[in-house]
Amino acid sequence: MNLKPVLILLGLALATIFALVCVLLTRERSPRTCQSLPPEQEDPEDGQSLVFADLTAEEMSQVVRYLRGHLGVPLVEASRAEPSENCIAWLDVQVPAKAEVLRFLDSGGARPPREALAVLYFGQQPEPNITELVVGPLPGPAYHRDVTVRKYGGRLPYHRRPTLAVEYKQIGGFLKSQVFPSAPAFMQQVMEYDGANLATVTAAPRGFQSGDRVTWFVLFQNVSGFFLHPVGLEVLVDHSSLDISQWAVSRVFYNGQYYRDMVQLESAYVQGRVSVEKVRRAPRDGDFSSMKPRAPAAAPSPLQFEPQGPRYRVRNNRVLFQGWSFAFGMSVSRGLRLFDIRHKGERVAYEISVQEALSVYGSNCPAGMSTRYMDGSFGLGRYTSPLVPGVDCPYLATFVDTVSLSDSLRPKKRKASLCIFEQNLGSPLRRHYSNLQSLYYGGLVNSALVLRSIATVGNYDYVWDFIFYQNGALEGKVQATGYPSSSFLHGDGLRYGNRLWEHTLGTIHTHFVNYKVDLDVGGVKNSLMAQDMEFEMAQAPWSPEQQIERPRLTRRVLDTEDQAAFLLHSKMPRYIYFAANSKNKWGHQRGYRIQITSSAGDHIPEASSMERAISWARYQLAVTRRKEEEPTSTSIYNQNDPWTPTVAFADFINNETLTNEDLVAWITAGFLHIPHSEDIPNTVTVGNSAGFLLRPYNYYDLDPSIYSQDGVFFTSEQDFTACEINPLACLPKTASCLPNFPPFTFDGFPNMSMSLKTVLILLGLALATIFALVCVLLTRERSPRTCQSLPPEQEDPEDGQSLVFADLTAEEMSQVVRYLRGHLGVPLVEASRAEPSENCIAWLDVQVPAKAEVLRFLDSGGARPPREALAVLYFGQQPEPNITELVVGPLPGPAYHRDVTVRKYGGRLPYHRRPVTGREYKQINALIHSELKKAPLFLTACCDSDGTDLVTLTTAPRGFKSGDRVTWFVLFHNVAGTGYYLSPVGLEVLVDHGDLRVSRWQLRKVFYNGRYFASTGDLEQEFVAGALEVVRLKQPQADAVLGSMKPRRPPGPPAPLQFEPQGPRYSVRSNHVTFQGWSFAFGMNPNTGPRLFDIRYRGERIVYELSLQEALALYGSNCPGGMSTRYLDGSFGIGRFAYELVRGLDCPYTATYVDRHYLAETDTPKTNQNSLCIFEHDSALPLRRHFSDSQSFYYGGLRRNALVIRTISTLINYDYIWDFMFHTNGAMEVRVHATGYISSSFLHGRGTDYGNRVGPHTLGTMHIHHIHYKVDLDVDGQLNSLESQDMEYEFVKDPWSAQNTIERPHLRRERLEREDEAAFPLNAPLPRYLSFVSPNPNRWGHPRSYRIQVISFAGKHLPTNSSMERSVSWGRYQLAVTRRKEEEPTSTSVYNQNDPWTPTVAFADFINNETITNQDLVAWITVGFLHIPHAEDIPNTVTVGNSVGFFLRPYNYFSEDPSVDSPDSVYLSSEQDAGACGDNPLACLSSAATCAPRLPPFHFGGFLNLSLAPPLGGL
């Protein structure tokens, strides 16, 4: 058939479609589509950023033309060049010297000439060499200069040149034509070689000494995902000669044996002396390595769209977003790089760039054991792959083409190889819910700009992200996916990894990534500062006979490069920052802090002959003086001659001074990868990320995000459903538009021409589109199509079984109260009115049955356990007042109760341990205000107050010894609608409220501005006598107070919103959730907060219980309240104080919101409406992916979506965001983010020894946050053991060259048999792989297991000689594994807060060296961070960088990654039509997602006014 008439028909069809679309768009009845508004941020820059711009295709062509005409030597096309010929290897832009650029950008100097860097291989010279030429000026080059000697101190030897694609092709031809034919029987009978069914992968470096070019090549079956199909044959090729005919085979390896060459292998084979392992021939699609979807496509996952268009701007190589601006580019070798990064117009960094990605492998096969890939030499920028909309980046991202010239004389465009998008992270950047003193809510959604590229270097795909947050923080992150590299499994192979398939060994390896960060903080000249904490023992100033341990701030200037070079696994100061010469408003040096996230493996031993080539990896952070002659930490030439490295980073560190200099931070991050079954077919990004944050640290005077247009603030006195009050209330109208999803396009595969078949397919689609458009025109209704919900595909077979874990209902609580009031025989007073000397019900909770009972019911058809409640009562009206715990049942109609106090705690609970009630706080405040009346003149002078407008904040614990109930209360100015926590007046009072008769309570001490007084009367006398130094504070105004969260700017266009085109893909029934193979029950303990039970994946229980245990905040200060504060938040009520979540800010607008009921300090159940949310979150990145443009052309990927269950607890000043996430690869993630207000002290004396000044008289006091979790894992059954895996290097004689040694990582496995071995101190190294293992193996013989991976930046634990340390002894350990016992249900107790000296529960007692082999085990995990408050904590602490948690990841639990069965999988090949719905579900989005999101009207249930119960008093 002639193609021409078909193309004419196609053109007519497209014209018809265009006409019909025009009719649709102009009809009055058409639905409103989302309209783009121009970004508000103006761009005053007039092309200045082009000084950093990558070369254009035209410039590259001009440079090539110039070089071919002006060098006087022949230049051969690199793709055809022999080693003995000359060629252009690649081109890049030559970025001018920094001084020149800054003169141009900042001082009106001349624009530096635009130049190119050309790298040439001169093989046709008497001394072959690599030469680097600078060519300019562009666009019309007229000169060149050789910079090789200046840059490298001499000529570059030719053997160092990176291997070109043509050389690999020539080696492949050599193997095919000369090597393989020399072993015909072996190749045909064992390899079934047909000339095309084998693929090779190179190892590197290439030999053992400088000058070598001898490379091992590993042979694999040439199928999709060939990296996982080794055949056991490896060949060592000597390709050092420039004459290809002189290339030779140096060694051959097959299945554990070495041979001189293929001839010797053939001879041995023919004689029957070869141990043959015949590998089953894989189908062309690779079978287990195939990325083709295993399940049909289903409902689309959540998508984000921009109701009023992008809020960022991209002009040429420059991006603007929410105060940020920067230039971006792509280095051919090093990849993504940024320049001139500014926030609010000030340059923060001059350059941030990737330097290198290193992988060091271990194996018992020669190629694997000798591989140390330095990916920069292959080309991180050159191998940047095209990005697939909807998987690699959000569908509506801005995609940018990049151009490079390498291995060719012609520029090559890589379409859509970089993307830019704004991502709503689905959580608050900062927030606070206030129901004390004044009722308000303030917050800001965390919406950030992401710049991304993905480099596919051989088997691995590296996702490179730079993320820009609205608070001035910048994050650099890399996430690894793609295929693991493998060796042929033989002999002792399991010392070097795990078996992944029949003959496939996934080999242990490290990933190290190095970044250059040229910070210019407040100017070019900076210094390096370190801050950390230490505990000091001091006498309590108000009670000198007592000792108190308090954290103190340590400060240090790092003067020299040697001091600023932190070895990879050494302890680094928790706060390290570049400091400017200038100061902020509060007198602190303006700074930017570096915070590294890494779980790197071990660096190669320094004794290695090649270590200097990668010596940057010695250091997690090294700061050096910036020098033009030290532009990069490594060189692309190091890969092929690491023994005489062209650039050795270790030489940069020569102890030069760092004070007031232009400095560069070199950051190394990474992780150890021990491939396991779930790496088949692909490594997932979950848990495989590393990077760093740059965070403003006293750089500003307050958090710059307060000026964001996304800010939300409303009070109880406002109509928060009104648009003008609350921009979230506008969303149902603003976002009810049709998102514009353009048709899917992908131009990622080369050499694809339009065939007749393709044209016919397009014509068919066009005709179908015409038909559909006509149908729409004929049948269209007046209302726009709204997104319709489809039922989740996953059935929920659970028939109410999860209710065995369910929280008490309001009706059940009422029944329990009714029962207790009628059956105890003692009077019970309503707790909100009870005196300490009376009896009351403190709180109720569900009594979860014993695990054995529950499992008999769930798993064995046993009887449902009786439903019971736990009631906690305060018996003050008894001869021996006490706390009693009663179990009441059965519910719903209770008929019995039993006292469980003695059984649980070994004795009665003393009454003084009871948590303080709201009524008690109210009575304390009445006493304080009565006493304040005795100092009227002082209050007027100090505080512009009569005392009634001052509020108090409790501290805890309450005294120094068991039985004490003596509490410091700190006084603050109270300003309606603001966080009073930032307005201390310098006055603190010590109240003794231990007596059961309130009339006997009294003030024991008064503190003001560094001095102590016996009473307020004494304070007044001192003031009247003129003997008191008074700091006179005016009553703060609402608009000027530090704690105001009112937005400083009017609202702008909304941030991106998430919607579900076909409704939620999860199900919530009662307390049971199902999602993509997951199921679990959820609940809320009123004290300890969120808890999950019976967590199953694909029907198998993974975790029996996952619950929060405690949150500790321990403060330092030189004021008595601050120095004595150790909040154990469980005693206040983490669950009880989880309030209503604000739709669209605390959680996505369309999340599912759930009410929670509780009964505490009242006889009537209370409801926290919408206090828990459940939603599927689009992480806007791939879970796994691979782009293949070698051997076969295909793309496979799966977007990373997770189910999130969230609640947020507001505990006085702090807001803790509790997240539990369920990933589609079977991994769980637990995270806590901290926001809210910092606690503060009055600044006096040496206050800055304990924090930073953040206001005129406000000291932000340093403190630690430590969070504790219980994880009762049941991995493939209850009986588990604990196994650690890690790496270490071994030096061995090289098996094929005995005169040489090689260092290789190997796997160290250890079974931890006792509790003492499994208790890892807080800041000690933790084995990088620690797993709960089952006695049952997976398909490949490995114990089925789940790995625990902790992410934490914890401060120091309280010294063990502290009198109260045992009450928080769980904080000694980052991880402790114990045998599960019903009598050890929690790691702490709510009663520990008020008697930490005789703790009710001491976790240290759980660890008694019992065996933990094949037992029911529990992991107790501590995470946390040190917080040194700074100016950017005003008005609120942000969540960025203040997030910690852990992963639970399948580790050989499955036989392959379970996400291969996800219906969201995408697979494209060069043989398919990527734009066809049938081949690619992403192609369906433009129609499936074109519906108006259904956003319900904004609703907020209001505020629970705690001030009515405990006015003026904390909790």
Side-chain angles (χ1 to χ4, degrees):
M1 182 178 177
N2 190 348
L3 186 61
K4 184 176 179 181
V6 181
L7 287 171
I8 293 170
L9 288 172
L10 180 60
L12 291 171
L14 293 173
T16 305
I17 291 171
F18 178 77
L20 288 169
V21 169
C22 288
V23 172
L24 278 169
L25 291 175
T26 57
R27 285 185 79 178
E28 291 182 2
R29 293 183 296 171
S30 63
R32 184 174 69 88
T33 55
C34 300
Q35 300 298 314
S36 293
L37 297 178
E40 189 168 282
Q41 185 174 347
E42 290 298 320
D43 185 4
E45 197 259 2
D46 187 21
Q48 288 185 317
S49 65
L50 293 175
V51 72
F52 304 108
D54 294 341
L55 299 178
T56 66
E58 176 58 28
E59 288 174 327
M60 292 176 183
S61 297
Q62 290 289 349
V63 171
V64 169
R65 194 171 296 122
Y66 172 85
L67 292 173
R68 298 190 78 172
H70 290 77
L71 296 188
V73 296
L75 292 176
V76 179
E77 167 86 30
S79 62
R80 300 193 312 272
E82 301 283 317
S84 57
E85 294 177 313
N86 309 319
C87 67
I88 301 171
W90 66 89
L91 302 180
D92 203 351
V93 67
Q94 174 71 18
V95 177
K98 181 175 179 178
E100 284 186 77
V101 174
L102 293 187
R103 275 195 299 272
F104 166 60
L105 294 179
D106 300 343
S107 305
R111 180 185 290 271
R114 184 156 168 79
E115 298 175 320
L117 177 69
V119 178
L120 295 98
Y121 293 174
F122 285 128
Q124 194 178 355
Q125 289 197 1
E127 290 187 20
N129 65 87
I130 309 161
T131 295
E132 294 194 358
L133 302 178
V134 170
V135 181
L138 302 180
Y143 60 81
H144 67 273
R145 61 182 182 276
D146 189 335
V147 295
T148 317
V149 175
R150 177 179 62 78
K151 286 177 70 172
Y152 304 112
R155 308 306 297 173
L156 285 171
Y158 198 52
H159 66 265
R160 295 185 190 175
R161 71 193 185 279
T163 308
L164 296 176
V166 66
E167 188 171 356
Y168 286 123
K169 186 177 180 181
Q170 291 158 346
I171 292 169
F174 167 69
L175 292 172
K176 184 175 181 178
S177 63
Q178 298 183 47
V179 178
F180 296 155
S182 62
F186 175 83
M187 291 302 294
Q188 183 177 2
Q189 297 170 23
V190 179
M191 298 289 119
E192 298 182 23
Y193 182 58
D194 61 9
N197 66 323
L198 295 179
T200 59
V201 171
T202 183
R206 309 179 189 283
F208 286 102
Q209 60 192 8
S210 189
D212 284 355
R213 202 172 180 87
V214 185
T215 306
W216 279 104
F217 287 88
V218 188
L219 277 86
F220 298 85
Q221 294 192 62
N222 187 15
V223 296
S224 180
F226 61 83
F227 310 99
L228 297 174
H229 294 270
V231 295
L233 180 63
E234 304 183 9
V235 181
L236 182 62
V237 177
D238 184 344
H239 53 117
S240 54
S241 175
L242 302 193
D243 181 354
I244 293 176
S245 65
Q246 299 301 307
W247 290 358
V249 169
S250 298
R251 283 289 185 278
V252 172
F253 170 87
Y254 175 71
N255 194 24
Q257 296 297 315
Y258 290 86
Y259 303 90
R260 184 178 59 254
D261 51 26
M262 291 295 288
V263 173
Q264 187 184 31
L265 171 61
E266 174 79 356
S267 174
Y269 173 70
V270 170
Q271 296 173 39
R273 291 185 289 106
V274 174
S275 174
V276 173
E277 282 285 345
K278 190 77 179 289
V279 177
R280 180 178 60 85
R281 187 157 183 170
R284 185 68 182 146
D285 70 359
D287 189 22
F288 66 89
S289 63
S290 173
M291 296 191 69
K292 290 182 178 177
R294 315 281 174 87
S301 59
L303 298 169
Q304 291 202 8
F305 75 108
E306 297 148 330
Q308 294 182 359
R311 307 194 305 170
Y312 57 89
R313 178 178 295 175
V314 183
R315 291 180 57 188
N316 299 317
N317 67 325
R318 180 175 166 81
V319 180
L320 291 93
F321 168 74
Q322 301 279 335
W324 285 103
S325 68
F326 59 89
F328 64 88
M330 185 76 73
S331 163
V332 176
S333 57
R334 296 190 300 279
L336 201 54
R337 56 190 175 190
L338 308 180
F339 290 99
D340 196 26
I341 303 157
R342 304 184 188 215
H343 190 245
K344 294 192 174 292
E346 287 193 77
R347 183 176 301 110
V348 173
Y350 178 76
E351 176 189 356
I352 301 178
S353 56
V354 179
Q355 296 291 293
E356 185 61 280
L358 166 71
S359 298
V360 177
Y361 283 80
S363 176
N364 63 343
C365 293
M369 75 175 71
S370 57
T371 292
R372 289 97 177 89
Y373 288 136
M374 303 173 207
D375 288 333
S377 75
F378 294 91
L380 291 171
R382 172 186 173 190
Y383 288 111
T384 293
S385 69
L387 301 170
V388 173
V391 179
D392 293 333
C393 306
Y395 198 94
L396 294 177
T398 297
F399 292 88
V400 179
D401 301 339
T402 57
V403 182
S404 67
L405 190 148
S406 58
D407 284 18
S408 172
L409 293 176
R410 288 178 295 278
K412 178 184 177 184
K413 178 185 286 189
R414 292 182 301 276
K415 288 194 171 183
S417 52
L418 190 148
C419 71
I420 301 164
F421 58 94
E422 184 180 359
Q423 169 75 354
N424 186 328
L425 298 172
S427 60
L429 178 67
R430 50 178 174 79
R431 63 95 75 179
H432 186 67
Y433 171 93
S434 175
N435 56 2
L436 286 170
Q437 313 313 326
S438 56
L439 311 179
Y440 65 89
Y441 174 90
L444 175 68
V445 71
N446 193 1
S447 195
L449 186 82
V450 182
L451 173 71
R452 172 174 301 157
S453 71
I454 303 181
T456 300
V457 187
N459 54 310
Y460 262 108
D461 297 57
Y462 292 103
V463 183
W464 304 101
D465 281 355
F466 289 108
I467 307 169
F468 299 82
Y469 297 95
Q470 293 194 54
N471 69 313
L474 190 160
E475 184 173 7
K477 181 189 289 188
V478 59
Q479 301 179 83
T481 176
Y483 287 101
S485 190
S486 68
S487 289
F488 190 76
L489 178 60
H490 74 92
D492 64 347
L494 294 180
R495 287 192 76 231
Y496 305 95
N498 288 308
R499 184 183 183 188
L500 304 184
W501 214 256
E502 191 174 358
H503 299 287
T504 305
L505 175 71
T507 47
I508 183 172
H509 57 279
T510 62
H511 287 282
F512 290 108
V513 174
N514 191 239
Y515 292 91
K516 177 182 182 180
V517 182
D518 181 359
L519 282 161
D520 285 351
V521 179
V524 173
K525 302 295 186 182
N526 293 156
S527 300
L528 189 66
M529 308 291 291
Q531 295 185 356
D532 213 323
M533 67 169 289
E534 64 184 11
F535 279 97
E536 62 179 9
M537 296 293 289
Q539 287 184 323
W542 64 95
S543 185
E545 71 279 8
Q546 303 292 344
Q547 291 280 316
I548 193 166
E549 59 290 318
R550 60 181 172 185
R552 182 187 183 98
L553 184 57
T554 63
R555 291 184 171 91
R556 186 179 164 210
V557 179
L558 303 176
D559 291 310
T560 64
E561 289 177 337
D562 286 9
Q563 294 174 351
F566 297 95
L567 293 174
L568 190 62
H569 297 302
S570 64
K571 288 187 177 178
M572 196 165 81
R574 293 177 177 86
Y575 279 59
I576 191 160
Y577 62 96
F578 277 38
N581 288 321
S582 55
K583 295 184 177 181
N584 72 356
K585 183 177 179 179
W586 311 118
H588 298 292
Q589 282 183 282
R590 303 177 70 201
Y592 252 79
R593 177 187 170 199
I594 299 169
Q595 182 177 341
I596 300 173
T597 302
S598 178
S599 50
D602 291 339
H603 177 53
I604 198 166
E606 288 187 35
S608 165
S609 60
M610 62 164 285
E611 188 276 340
R612 275 176 50 79
I614 51 173
S615 52
W616 52 264
R618 293 180 192 173
Y619 310 100
Q620 54 187 315
L621 173 69
V623 177
T624 66
R625 287 172 65 165
R626 187 191 187 281
K627 299 176 182 177
E628 286 294 335
E629 58 270 27
E630 293 175 353
T632 60
S633 60
T634 183
S635 167
I636 55 174
Y637 312 119
N638 282 11
Q639 174 73 90
N640 288 344
D641 188 357
W643 308 282
T644 310
T646 303
V647 173
F649 178 77
D651 295 339
F652 291 16
I653 301 170
N654 48 16
N655 215 26
E656 290 182 287
T657 180
L658 297 178
T659 304
N660 199 27
E661 298 288 349
D662 190 359
L663 305 180
V664 174
W666 308 88
I667 298 172
T668 299
F671 59 92
L672 170 67
H673 190 188
I674 305 173
H676 45 95
S677 295
E678 291 80 9
D679 284 298
I680 300 294
N682 266 121
T683 295
V684 297
T685 53
V686 172
N688 292 325
S689 69
F692 62 92
L693 274 165
L694 304 175
R695 302 173 58 186
Y697 186 73
N698 290 315
Y699 185 81
Y700 296 102
D701 299 330
L702 78 171
D703 173 28
S705 76
I706 196 67
Y707 296 99
S708 170
Q709 292 183 302
D710 298 337
V712 171
F713 181 85
F714 52 82
T715 74
S716 60
E717 299 170 356
Q718 295 174 309
D719 178 7
F720 33 74
T721 64
C723 256
E724 59 273 14
I725 300 297
N726 170 22
L728 296 173
C730 308
L731 286 180
K733 179 180 179 182
T734 305
S736 289
C737 55
L738 298 182
N740 181 22
F741 288 89
F744 181 87
T745 60
F746 183 69
D747 298 308
F749 301 119
N751 303 322
M752 292 176 61
S753 58
M754 184 176 288
S755 65
L756 176 61
K757 179 181 177 182
T758 304
V759 174
L760 288 171
I761 290 171
L762 290 172
L763 179 59
L765 289 171
L767 293 173
T769 305
I770 291 171
F771 178 77
L773 289 169
V774 170
C775 290
V776 170
L777 281 167
L778 293 174
T779 61
R780 191 174 182 191
E781 298 176 5
R782 293 185 177 273
S783 60
R785 185 172 77 89
T786 54
C787 301
Q788 301 298 316
S789 293
L790 297 178
E793 198 164 277
Q794 181 176 347
E795 292 297 320
D796 186 0
E798 199 263 358
D799 188 22
Q801 288 185 317
S802 65
L803 293 175
V804 72
F805 305 107
D807 294 342
L808 299 177
T809 66
E811 176 58 29
E812 288 173 327
M813 293 176 186
S814 297
Q815 290 290 350
V816 171
V817 170
R818 193 172 297 121
Y819 172 86
L820 292 173
R821 294 180 75 94
H823 290 78
L824 295 188
V826 295
L828 292 177
V829 179
E830 169 89 26
S832 62
R833 295 182 282 105
E835 298 291 311
S837 57
E838 294 177 314
N839 309 319
C840 67
I841 301 171
W843 70 86
L844 301 180
D845 192 14
V846 67
Q847 175 70 20
V848 178
K851 182 176 179 179
E853 285 186 78
V854 173
L855 294 188
R856 275 196 298 271
F857 166 60
L858 294 179
D859 300 343
S860 305
R864 181 184 288 271
R867 185 157 168 78
E868 299 175 320
L870 176 69
V872 177
L873 295 98
Y874 296 170
F875 285 129
Q877 194 178 353
Q878 289 197 1
E880 290 187 19
N882 66 86
I883 308 162
T884 295
E885 295 194 358
L886 302 177
V887 170
V888 180
L891 301 180
Y896 60 79
H897 67 273
R898 62 183 181 273
D899 189 335
V900 294
T901 317
V902 174
R903 178 180 62 78
K904 287 177 70 173
Y905 304 113
R908 309 307 297 173
L909 286 171
Y911 198 51
H912 67 265
R913 294 185 189 176
R914 70 193 184 281
V916 179
T917 64
R919 168 74 172 172
E920 190 171 352
Y921 281 124
K922 183 178 180 180
Q923 292 165 326
I924 291 169
N925 277 293
L927 170 64
I928 292 172
H929 274 267
S930 174
E931 292 294 322
L932 289 179
K933 292 177 181 177
K934 298 176 182 178
L937 298 176
F938 164 76
L939 286 176
T940 300
C942 83
C943 312
D944 195 15
S945 170
D946 62 1
T948 59
D949 56 355
L950 298 181
V951 296
T952 63
L953 180 65
T954 185
T955 65
R958 309 178 190 282
F960 287 103
K961 63 183 184 302
S962 190
D964 284 356
R965 203 172 181 86
V966 185
T967 306
W968 280 103
F969 287 84
V970 186
L971 280 84
F972 299 84
H973 267 133
N974 184 27
V975 180
T978 69
Y980 60 83
Y981 316 98
L982 299 176
S983 303
V985 297
L987 185 61
E988 304 183 9
V989 294
L990 182 64
V991 178
D992 184 342
H993 52 116
D995 200 288
L996 300 193
R997 282 176 285 186
V998 176
S999 62
R1000 295 186 178 180
W1001 293 358
Q1002 56 185 308
L1003 261 63
R1004 292 290 189 189
K1005 277 284 186 293
V1006 175
F1007 169 86
Y1008 176 71
N1009 194 23
R1011 292 182 58 189
Y1012 292 84
F1013 305 89
S1015 66
T1016 52
D1018 286 356
L1019 174 65
E1020 179 81 348
Q1021 287 180 14
E1022 287 285 292
F1023 171 71
V1024 171
L1028 180 63
E1029 181 183 347
V1030 173
V1031 178
R1032 297 178 182 269
L1033 304 178
K1034 290 294 182 184
Q1035 184 69 244
Q1037 300 303 306
D1039 292 338
V1041 72
L1042 292 175
S1044 174
M1045 294 186 68
K1046 290 181 180 178
R1048 309 297 203 267
R1049 295 179 66 197
L1057 291 174
Q1058 178 173 293
F1059 78 111
E1060 297 148 327
Q1062 294 180 9
R1065 307 195 304 171
Y1066 56 89
S1067 170
V1068 183
R1069 292 176 56 189
S1070 301
N1071 67 325
H1072 193 249
V1073 180
T1074 57
F1075 168 74
Q1076 302 270 319
W1078 286 104
S1079 68
F1080 58 89
F1082 64 88
M1084 183 81 77
N1085 181 294
N1087 300 306
T1088 57
R1091 55 191 175 190
L1092 306 181
F1093 291 98
D1094 196 27
I1095 303 170
R1096 304 185 188 214
Y1097 186 66
R1098 298 191 167 191
E1100 292 190 63
R1101 182 177 300 109
I1102 307 295
V1103 177
Y1104 178 75
E1105 177 188 355
L1106 172 52
S1107 57
L1108 179 63
Q1109 297 290 292
E1110 186 59 280
L1112 165 69
L1114 190 153
Y1115 285 80
S1117 175
N1118 63 341
C1119 294
M1123 76 175 72
S1124 57
T1125 293
R1126 290 97 176 87
Y1127 288 135
L1128 303 177
D1129 287 331
S1131 74
F1132 294 93
I1134 295 171
R1136 172 187 171 189
F1137 293 118
Y1139 298 115
E1140 182 170 5
L1141 300 167
V1142 172
R1143 184 185 295 272
L1145 202 155
D1146 291 332
C1147 306
Y1149 201 97
T1150 56
T1152 297
Y1153 293 84
V1154 181
D1155 299 342
R1156 296 285 84 196
H1157 308 287
Y1158 69 93
L1159 189 148
E1161 298 187 29
T1162 178
D1163 286 352
T1164 306
K1166 303 293 184 186
T1167 299
N1168 282 341
Q1169 294 182 36
N1170 299 335
S1171 55
L1172 187 145
C1173 71
I1174 302 165
F1175 59 95
E1176 184 180 357
H1177 179 60
D1178 172 16
S1179 300
L1181 67 119
L1183 176 69
R1184 51 180 174 79
R1185 65 94 76 180
H1186 185 67
F1187 172 81
S1188 174
D1189 60 357
S1190 62
Q1191 311 302 331
S1192 55
F1193 303 110
Y1194 66 88
Y1195 170 90
L1198 174 66
R1199 66 193 302 169
R1200 180 168 155 180
N1201 281 33
L1203 187 80
V1204 181
I1205 180 167
R1206 171 179 298 157
T1207 190
I1208 304 181
S1209 302
T1210 299
L1211 294 152
I1212 314 180
N1213 54 310
Y1214 261 107
D1215 297 57
Y1216 292 104
I1217 303 171
W1218 310 105
D1219 280 355
F1220 299 86
M1221 288 169 272
F1222 299 85
H1223 296 276
T1224 56
N1225 69 313
M1228 283 168 275
E1229 184 177 358
V1230 178
R1231 282 275 172 174
V1232 55
H1233 315 262
T1235 178
Y1237 287 102
I1238 58 170
S1239 189
S1240 69
S1241 290
F1242 190 76
L1243 178 62
H1244 74 94
R1246 297 184 60 85
T1248 52
D1249 287 350
Y1250 305 94
N1252 286 309
R1253 183 185 181 194
V1254 296
H1257 304 285
T1258 304
L1259 176 71
T1261 47
M1262 68 179 301
H1263 54 282
I1264 58 172
H1265 290 281
H1266 286 176
I1267 314 294
H1268 198 54
Y1269 291 92
K1270 176 183 181 180
V1271 186
D1272 181 359
L1273 279 155
D1274 284 352
V1275 178
D1276 194 23
Q1278 281 181 261
L1279 302 183
N1280 293 158
S1281 302
L1282 187 67
E1283 184 174 279
S1284 71
Q1285 295 186 5
D1286 215 322
M1287 68 170 288
E1288 61 186 15
Y1289 280 95
E1290 60 185 4
F1291 278 87
V1292 294
K1293 289 235 178 253
D1294 174 51
W1296 65 94
S1297 180
Q1299 71 272 24
N1300 294 301
T1301 59
I1302 194 167
E1303 62 291 323
R1304 60 180 172 184
H1306 71 90
L1307 183 56
R1308 187 181 68 244
R1309 292 182 171 95
E1310 183 180 2
R1311 189 64 62 93
L1312 305 178
E1313 297 187 346
R1314 296 197 168 270
E1315 289 177 337
D1316 286 11
E1317 298 174 64
F1320 297 94
L1322 188 62
N1323 296 122
L1326 191 73
R1328 294 176 183 92
Y1329 279 61
L1330 198 61
S1331 306
F1332 273 42
V1333 301
S1334 161
N1336 304 317
N1338 73 354
R1339 178 178 177 181
W1340 307 116
H1342 298 294
R1344 301 185 72 196
S1345 62
Y1346 255 76
R1347 175 187 171 199
I1348 299 170
Q1349 182 179 348
V1350 180
I1351 295 107
S1352 179
F1353 311 99
K1356 292 182 178 179
H1357 177 58
L1358 193 66
T1360 53
N1361 60 359
S1362 165
S1363 60
M1364 65 164 284
E1365 187 276 340
R1366 275 177 50 81
S1367 68
V1368 291
S1369 51
W1370 52 264
R1372 296 179 190 176
Y1373 311 101
Q1374 55 186 317
L1375 174 68
V1377 176
T1378 65
R1379 286 173 64 166
R1380 187 191 186 279
K1381 299 177 182 177
E1382 286 294 335
E1383 58 270 27
E1384 293 175 353
T1386 61
S1387 60
T1388 184
S1389 167
V1390 294
Y1391 312 120
N1392 281 12
Q1393 175 73 91
N1394 289 343
D1395 189 357
W1397 308 283
T1398 310
T1400 304
V1401 174
F1403 178 77
D1405 296 338
F1406 290 17
I1407 300 170
N1408 48 16
N1409 215 26
E1410 289 183 287
T1411 180
I1412 52 173
T1413 301
N1414 284 332
Q1415 300 290 332
D1416 192 358
L1417 304 180
V1418 174
W1420 308 88
I1421 300 173
T1422 301
V1423 296
F1425 60 92
L1426 170 65
H1427 190 184
I1428 305 174
H1430 44 95
E1432 291 80 8
D1433 284 298
I1434 305 300
N1436 266 122
T1437 293
V1438 297
T1439 53
V1440 172
N1442 294 324
S1443 169
V1444 291
F1446 59 91
F1447 288 96
L1448 303 174
R1449 300 173 57 187
Y1451 184 76
N1452 291 317
Y1453 186 84
F1454 300 100
S1455 298
E1456 61 183 344
D1457 174 28
S1459 76
V1460 296
D1461 296 319
S1462 170
D1464 298 336
S1465 295
V1466 171
Y1467 182 85
L1468 312 172
S1469 79
S1470 57
E1471 300 167 357
Q1472 293 174 312
D1473 180 4
C1477 249
D1479 289 331
N1480 171 22
L1482 295 173
C1484 310
L1485 281 182
S1486 58
S1487 57
T1490 304
C1491 56
R1494 304 178 66 180
L1495 273 61
F1498 182 84
H1499 172 78
F1500 186 68
F1503 297 91
L1504 176 66
N1505 189 351
L1506 288 186
S1507 302
L1508 297 178
L1512 312 178
L1515 294 177

